[in-house]
């Protein structure tokens, strides 16, 4: 009922014991009340955090390191809202937020897309009827383009420079209209995108071609809540689910062991395709045959039963939160 935004310190790397376990308790540095459920949040910079609320409000909180406090720095009240026949009839959940300082883009249950700038009170741009269904997540494709996923299995590309309120591209899962809950793009090869949704499948898309996923991979037994490429090592991907699992997908198999992969469309990031002018590396994720034995999959939480709702990764650190009302830090991803 009473939600809070909290800043924790999980200690320095020096405090790791002999068996690799982190020694000492995480410290709660500060917290602040938050109206509504926290649907999504992201750091804008070292001091500011953008938070999406189920009330439709988007708040920028500032973290003051000198006296360890949090304060509301800026707030866009009911940035997302349902419209009744005559008036606005209350907030609609803001389901996703993405930041690229100073730009902030939010999406919501009302099918709206808002483009804010951290230092400006009014929205730069609002696309009111961007979608007729709920938008579940958003990410930047490039500095002026965003990707959204919705509750009828569509992935859409929006160019923020265009004044028209239509997406520049629409991709969709065939047939079933399975809701998509999460999206992330490959950090180095921006045409490669991963999504996950209601049926637990992992979909890999190449937005340069076609309107359907390049590959569909059987993953979780329930909704997939989050998908993330490792920011500096994108052969590694992480997904978490309502089924209580957190999977680490590894496509970085050493090609010296498996020379048969050295062909066009093979699963090797070391193979250069000579038919492209800029010699771009063929990504392991775009293989025509994503056979299970070419992707190593590890469940990082073997005996969890409760939903894993969120995850993030940086370097060797993985952080995830579960329905057990606990936050876990794994410091040895590649140990």
């Amino acid at each position: 009922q009473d939600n809070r935004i909290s800043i924790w310190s999980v200690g320095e790397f020096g405090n790791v014991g002999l068996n690799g376990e982190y020694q000492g308790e995480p410290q709660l540095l500060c917290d602040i009340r938050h109206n509504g459920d926290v649907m999504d949040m992201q750091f804008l910079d070292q001091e500011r955090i953008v938070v999406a609320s189920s009330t439709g409000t988007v708040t920028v909180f500032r973290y003051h390191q000198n006296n360890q406090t949090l304060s509301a720095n800026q707030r866009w009240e009911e940035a997302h809202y349902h419209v009744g026949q005559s008036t606005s009839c209350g907030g609609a959940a803001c389901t996703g937020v993405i930041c690229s300082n100073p730009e902030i883009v939010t999406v919501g249950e009302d099918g709206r897309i808002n483009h804010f700038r951290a230092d400006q009170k009014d929205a730069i741009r609002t696309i009111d009827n961007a979608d007729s269904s709920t938008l579940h997540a958003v990410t930047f494709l490039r500095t002026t383009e965003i990707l959204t996923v919705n509750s009828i299995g569509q992935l859409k590309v929006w160019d923020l420079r265009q004044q028209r309120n239509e997406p520049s591209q629409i991709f969709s899962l065939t047939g079933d209209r399975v809701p998509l809950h999460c999206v992330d793009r490959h950090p180095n090869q921006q045409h490669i995108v991963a999504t996950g949704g209601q049926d637990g499948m992992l979909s890999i898309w190449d937005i340069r071609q076609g309107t359907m996923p390049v590959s569909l991979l059987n993953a979780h037994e329930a909704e997939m809540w989050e998908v993330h490429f490792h920011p500096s090592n994108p052969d590694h991907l992480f997904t978490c689910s309502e089924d209580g699992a957190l999977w680490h997908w590894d496509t970085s198999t050493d090609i010296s062991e498996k020379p048969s992969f050295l062909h066009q469309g093979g699963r090797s990031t070391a193979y250069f395709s000579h038919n492209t002018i800029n010699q771009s590396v063929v990504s392991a994720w775009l293989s025509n045959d994503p056979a299970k034995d070419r992707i190593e999959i590890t469940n990082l939480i073997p005996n969890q039963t409760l939903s894993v709702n969120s995850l993030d990764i940086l370097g060797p650190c993985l952080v995830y939160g579960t329905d057990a009302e606990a936050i876990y830090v794994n410091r040895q991803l590649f140990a």
Side-chain angles (χ1 to χ4, degrees):
Q1 294 298 311
D2 178 19
N3 293 306
R4 305 187 82 77
I5 302 290
S6 309
I7 302 259
W8 295 80
S9 164
V10 291
E12 295 306 317
F13 284 97
N15 300 355
V16 176
L18 291 174
N19 57 355
E21 281 301 295
Y22 165 64
Q23 308 277 297
E25 290 292 309
Q27 296 292 314
L28 175 64
L29 299 179
C30 53
D31 64 1
I32 192 170
R33 276 204 60 173
H34 179 269
N35 289 333
D37 294 342
V38 177
M39 304 298 285
D40 199 7
M41 61 179 169
Q42 205 181 35
F43 277 99
L44 178 68
D45 54 27
Q46 292 288 322
E47 294 176 345
R48 289 176 297 176
I49 305 134
V50 183
V51 183
S53 170
S54 60
T55 63
T57 296
V58 178
T59 310
V60 183
F61 290 97
R62 186 177 285 276
Y63 167 49
H64 307 274
Q65 292 187 324
N66 51 358
N67 61 357
Q68 297 298 345
T69 56
L70 275 165
S71 64
N73 181 239
Q74 187 156 0
R75 184 174 277 131
W76 292 283
E77 297 281 352
E78 290 196 5
H80 294 273
Y81 56 91
H82 291 298
V83 177
Q85 292 193 319
S86 53
T87 58
S88 151
C89 56
C94 175
T95 51
V97 54
I98 191 78
C99 307
S100 177
N101 193 6
E103 316 288 324
I104 299 166
V105 175
T106 70
V107 296
E109 270 179 11
D110 52 358
R112 253 184 205 85
I113 298 174
N114 290 307
H115 178 195
F116 298 111
R117 206 160 273 143
D119 40 19
Q120 293 185 24
K121 188 117 194 70
D122 296 323
I124 309 283
R125 167 109 185 264
T126 293
I127 306 177
D128 270 331
N129 299 309
D131 214 300
S132 56
S133 61
T134 298
L135 288 169
H136 282 141
V138 59
T139 191
F140 277 102
L141 186 57
R142 296 182 183 80
T143 45
T144 57
E145 281 185 307
I146 56 166
L147 285 165
T148 59
V149 291
N150 69 14
S151 61
I152 55 170
Q154 292 173 321
L155 171 69
K156 296 183 182 180
V157 179
W158 304 82
D159 187 335
L160 297 174
R161 292 163 304 189
Q162 298 289 334
Q163 281 315 301
R164 347 177 265 125
N165 291 342
E166 266 87 50
S168 50
Q169 283 174 284
I170 301 180
F171 302 85
S172 61
L173 294 168
T174 48
D176 296 342
R177 296 192 156 214
V178 175
L180 291 171
H181 291 304
C182 51
V183 58
D184 195 28
R185 75 149 169 78
H186 192 289
N188 314 336
Q189 299 183 47
Q190 293 172 339
H191 53 277
I192 302 174
V193 174
T195 64
Q198 194 82 35
D199 58 1
M201 297 280 278
L202 172 64
S203 309
I204 306 290
W205 313 68
D206 181 347
I207 61 166
R208 299 169 305 181
Q209 50 182 304
T211 57
M212 285 162 26
V214 181
S215 58
L216 287 167
L217 299 158
N218 272 316
H220 297 282
E221 290 162 30
E223 295 92 335
M224 187 190 294
W225 293 131
E226 196 103 66
V227 57
H228 277 299
F229 285 101
H230 191 288
S232 54
N233 199 344
D235 286 347
H236 299 266
L237 178 107
F238 299 84
T239 60
C240 65
S241 165
E242 183 71 29
D243 65 9
L246 194 162
W247 284 18
H248 172 188
W249 305 69
D250 177 5
T251 62
S252 65
T253 317
D254 184 4
I255 52 161
S256 59
E257 300 167 32
K258 301 194 177 178
S260 61
F261 293 167
L262 284 174
H263 61 270
Q264 178 65 40
R267 290 203 78 72
S268 159
T269 43
Y271 171 73
F272 286 89
S273 151
H274 293 289
N275 57 7
T276 48
I277 298 159
N278 62 356
Q279 300 274 297
S280 70
V281 177
V282 171
S283 169
W285 294 108
L286 294 185
S287 158
N288 301 330
D289 173 27
K292 275 281 195 279
D293 60 350
R294 299 177 180 184
I295 301 181
E296 207 176 312
I297 301 168
T298 316
N299 182 6
L300 299 178
I301 323 176
N303 44 16
Q304 254 293 4
T305 51
L306 296 170
S307 175
V308 185
N309 302 319
S310 190
L311 72 92
D312 207 357
I313 38 222
L314 187 67
C317 260
L318 168 76
V319 180
Y320 57 95
T322 76
D323 269 357
E325 297 190 6
I327 298 163
Y328 297 86
V329 182
N330 173 344
R331 295 174 165 276
Q332 295 187 294
L333 266 190
F334 303 114

